[in-house]
Amino acid sequence: MAEEPLTPAGRLFLQAEVKQVIHCVIGLRNPIDVEVVKSEIRNSTMLQHPRFTSLMVRDRRGVEHWRATQIDMDKHVKVIEEAMGEGEDESAINSYLAQLSIDSDALSMEKPLWEIHLLVAHKCVIFRIHHALGDGISLMSMLLASCRKLNNPHALPTLAASASAAKSQTHRFDLWNLLVALWFCFVFALDFVLRCLWIRDSESAVSGGAGVQLWPRKIATATFSLQDMKTVKTAVNATINDVLFAVISSGLSRYLDYRAPNGLRDGVQLTGLVMVNLRKQPGLQELSNLMRSNPGARWGNKFGMILLPIYYHRSNTSDPLEYLKRAKAMIDRKKQSLEASFSYKIGDFVMSTLGPKFASLLNYRILCHTTFTISNVVGPQEEIMIGGNPVTFLRANNSALPHALILNMVSYAGRADMQVQVAKDIIPDPEFLAKCFEDALLEMKQQVTAKV
């Protein structure tokens, strides 16, 4: 079989400055049977995909390719029998993930770029997968292809509906809509370019910077009820993503009030770097679509980035729903632009013409000039099981970045878990920050229900 070259995005994620490993975390209800897990892996769809059975090699010109190889299961499955610490399972698992987040070099190039860690004492499975293999949507779709519904052991999990990510509203004048879209495209594209060059956020108690990706990490989990988020979104005809960004804005304002009561002026901007899936079907993809040569839903990395500003406001003077109104207004403007597609096309052009070194430098500068990263993956709507073992939670996070704050949310069976990863020398108390996010949602919910 001919060797397949890496995609431009795959080559980018091999660069030292932006090397990334994705962690998909599965909690299980029953004890882990190691041999059953290995058997499930051997028979899984994952090993039918060539990238999971290939080495990453470089030819004489230094160009990366995938080369087929044999899988030695013992080199990919790491079994940790003993408990890690004396605390609760969640704390122990998060501590282990924090260690993995600054250890992106642990995936050896002498084997395919994935591992599975079994935390037996904590009934937890961690999939470590190099970002060069694919993005979060590709990898979560592959993971769920090995799962079944808890109430129907022969049925695959229900995936998100294949709807447009942002249904455009019907307007009377198409020309006006076109002009508005072009204006927002220009403004947001210019902002994106300037971020690559010199514009950066104001310093705050949560700011990172160059080299921070090497600093020790801590992780906490913020848990939200999806029903609460749906209740809040009805207040201003918003979406779950609108509510999420409102929660982040309010929660960060609460945290900054606590850490530095007079450290920032009211209204100062903190910019988030948001990962946006660019496939025609924005939710989780049917694995058969991803593995076919289908330009609308191809396997690998197909995401863009948008810059989403949130604004600090003193939490004791702000109406909780004002955060939601501001978040919805900003995201509605972003939906009218092509910022995510623009960033993807520019990245692809830079990779193809100037090479991965220069592309990684631009990506690194954007990370250094913004305050946090966030991603949101919609998971199964009902309870599922893997290898006959019921799943209690699904979570995700990734390797450390120059940001001191990285947020990764995954929803599953009526709740959403957001992993709050921090550089602990900058943000020493991620548990308190996670509670600030949880309290922000509850306060918005109370405000909405009080008006009914």
Side-chain angles (χ1 to χ4, degrees):
M1 186 176 70
E3 294 182 358
E4 179 188 357
L6 265 70
T7 62
R11 296 178 66 200
L12 174 67
F13 286 120
L14 291 172
Q15 302 303 304
E17 296 85 358
V18 291
K19 187 182 293 183
Q20 284 291 291
V21 176
I22 299 172
H23 302 132
C24 298
V25 189
I26 302 178
L28 300 172
R29 183 178 302 166
N30 301 324
I32 295 174
D33 186 322
V34 176
E35 292 307 315
V36 169
V37 171
K38 290 183 178 180
S39 176
E40 288 287 328
I41 297 169
R42 289 189 188 97
N43 299 320
S44 69
T45 312
M46 182 174 77
L47 295 190
Q48 297 175 26
H49 195 289
R51 291 193 190 176
F52 287 81
T53 56
S54 299
L55 297 172
M56 197 288 293
V57 297
R58 289 183 172 88
D59 62 21
R60 288 176 296 179
R61 297 174 298 161
V63 178
E64 299 90 347
H65 293 79
W66 298 113
R67 177 182 296 168
T69 188
Q70 294 296 315
I71 294 295
D72 183 345
M73 195 63 63
D74 292 333
K75 290 184 178 179
H76 289 273
V77 178
K78 184 175 181 180
V79 182
I80 299 95
E81 296 278 1
E82 66 279 2
M84 294 171 292
E86 299 179 355
E88 297 180 353
D89 285 340
E90 181 173 293
S91 176
I93 294 167
N94 283 339
S95 294
Y96 189 75
L97 288 168
Q99 295 173 23
L100 294 180
S101 69
I102 54 174
D103 191 22
S104 58
D105 291 326
L107 287 178
S108 170
M109 295 291 179
E110 297 179 357
K111 64 184 182 184
L113 298 176
W114 59 272
E115 289 179 346
I116 295 178
H117 294 210
L118 305 179
L119 309 186
V120 176
H122 304 288
K123 295 186 283 189
C124 178
V125 180
I126 300 173
F127 288 73
R128 290 200 85 200
I129 304 168
H130 201 290
H131 218 317
L133 296 178
D135 57 23
I137 294 295
S138 294
L139 300 174
M140 187 66 78
S141 297
M142 173 165 282
L143 177 63
L144 293 178
S146 300
C147 298
R148 296 294 182 268
K149 292 182 180 181
L150 186 60
N151 59 4
N152 186 352
H154 301 292
L156 288 168
T158 302
L159 304 182
S162 301
S164 172
K167 293 182 180 178
S168 50
Q169 298 175 354
T170 303
H171 293 276
R172 189 172 179 179
F173 299 106
D174 289 340
L175 178 60
W176 173 249
N177 294 336
L178 177 62
L179 292 174
V180 170
L182 289 174
W183 170 248
F184 285 135
C185 286
F186 170 76
V187 170
F188 294 141
L190 179 62
D191 185 26
F192 205 92
V193 171
L194 293 177
R195 286 279 171 173
C196 292
L197 300 176
W198 68 82
I199 291 182
R200 63 186 304 153
D201 283 352
S202 302
E203 288 292 323
S204 71
V206 296
S207 296
V212 171
Q213 72 273 15
L214 304 175
W215 293 19
R217 297 272 154 166
K218 290 181 73 175
I219 295 176
T221 304
T223 299
F224 309 108
S225 162
L226 280 181
Q227 186 56 52
D228 287 352
M229 299 184 90
K230 291 175 182 177
T231 298
V232 171
K233 79 184 182 72
T234 60
V236 293
N237 193 27
T239 66
I240 293 292
N241 276 334
D242 297 336
V243 175
L244 173 60
F245 291 116
V247 165
I248 292 170
S249 181
S250 176
L252 276 177
S253 293
R254 289 164 177 264
Y255 182 76
L256 291 169
D257 278 347
Y258 168 77
R259 281 287 305 278
N262 300 307
L264 292 174
R265 60 179 173 80
D266 204 58
V268 72
Q269 175 178 317
L270 302 173
T271 308
L273 193 61
V274 186
M275 307 303 147
V276 179
N277 176 32
L278 293 178
R279 295 173 179 85
K280 291 180 180 178
Q281 294 177 303
L284 291 173
Q285 307 295 301
E286 294 289 357
L287 192 62
S288 57
N289 286 337
L290 287 172
M291 295 178 73
R292 288 199 304 261
S293 179
N294 182 343
R298 68 172 177 82
W299 177 269
N301 290 286
K302 192 174 183 182
F303 66 92
M305 298 184 291
I306 64 173
L307 300 172
L308 195 67
I310 63 173
Y311 299 92
Y312 164 76
H313 293 280
R314 290 181 177 83
S315 55
N316 60 350
T317 61
S318 300
D319 177 356
L321 294 183
E322 285 300 314
Y323 291 104
L324 180 57
K325 294 173 184 176
R326 284 189 291 265
K328 175 177 167 52
M330 173 53 67
I331 292 176
D332 284 349
R333 289 194 290 271
K334 293 286 183 177
K335 287 176 181 176
Q336 294 183 65
S337 79
L338 298 174
E339 183 178 354
S341 297
F342 172 82
S343 69
Y344 178 79
K345 294 293 185 183
I346 289 295
D348 195 55
F349 172 77
V350 171
M351 278 290 302
S352 302
T353 56
L354 301 177
K357 291 286 186 184
F358 190 78
S360 68
L361 173 63
L362 290 182
N363 275 270
Y364 194 76
R365 287 182 67 85
I366 292 174
L367 290 165
C368 291
H369 291 173
T370 50
T371 299
F372 64 93
T373 306
I374 182 163
S375 67
N376 177 23
V377 176
V378 180
Q381 301 173 25
E382 66 284 293
E383 289 189 284
I384 62 174
M385 59 183 176
I386 184 167
N389 200 338
V391 172
T392 56
F393 63 79
L394 289 176
R395 295 172 188 162
N397 76 336
N398 56 276
S399 301
L401 295 166
H403 287 148
L405 176 61
I406 302 173
L407 305 170
N408 303 99
M409 191 169 91
V410 179
S411 60
Y412 167 59
R415 81 177 200 187
D417 285 348
M418 185 166 71
Q419 293 292 85
V420 182
Q421 181 194 139
V422 303
K424 67 179 184 179
D425 293 333
I426 297 173
I427 304 174
D429 46 2
E431 297 83 6
F432 178 71
L433 178 54
K435 189 174 188 306
C436 287
F437 292 136
E438 293 172 346
D439 290 346
L441 176 62
L442 292 176
E443 189 175 65
M444 291 180 197
K445 177 193 172 187
Q446 292 169 359
Q447 188 84 352
V448 170
T449 53
K451 292 182 177 182
V452 176

